[in-house]
Amino acid sequence: MTDFEHITTESTLAAYHAFCDVFAGLMSEMRELSKKKPDATLSKSKVMLLNRVLEDILSILKTEPEGKYLDLLNDEELPQNSDAVLVMVQYEKALIGFKNRYQQYYRGTHYWITEENIKAWKKKGGAPWEDSLELY
């Protein structure tokens, strides 16, 4: 069986899937707000709402290489729309990095590299992409 450099867990993956769609929706809305009024200041309630999602994301990404660049929005000095988008883009890129790090693509299917999947693949004799060797 192939040794994987990066391995995650099903529980981490469940958290990832739980906030990805919510984050994508918020990101889309913030981009629209930023286009219309980039210098407008966010309300405290919007910052709290955004930070709730960012905190969840940060809980799994803080130990990833990109984690050191992730900060929450400042709820004391309320950010402008464009500042919030800038912070959220860092999270967006970190989420893409997470996905790229823990997924393997083979023949049209994405496989998550989790401890649980590796155990199941070992029982079956190897990962799905290890069953075929291409001869040159």
Side-chain angles (χ1 to χ4, degrees), residues 5-6 11 18 21 50 67 78 80 83 98 110 114:
E5 184 178 355
H6 303 287
S11 62
D21 287 341
L50 292 170
L78 298 173
Q80 295 178 338
D83 296 331
F98 179 89
H110 292 277
T114 64

Side-chain angles (χ1 to χ4, degrees), residues 67-121:
K68 65 183 177 182
Y69 302 110
L70 303 177
D71 294 311
L72 297 175
L73 297 170
N74 188 333
D75 61 355
E76 297 297 319
E77 297 176 23
L78 298 173
Q80 295 178 338
N81 289 334
S82 59
D83 296 331
V85 169
L86 185 63
V87 168
M88 292 176 73
V89 164
Q90 290 175 295
Y91 279 83
E92 182 178 51
K93 297 303 179 187
L95 287 169
I96 291 168
F98 179 89
K99 185 175 182 178
N100 291 338
R101 190 172 296 113
Y102 297 107
Q103 264 193 0
Q104 180 79 32
Y105 181 78
Y106 178 70
R107 292 190 177 178
T109 304
H110 292 277
Y111 297 92
W112 285 98
I113 309 303
T114 64
E115 293 171 0
E116 296 83 356
N117 281 344
I118 291 170
K119 285 179 187 174
W121 296 332

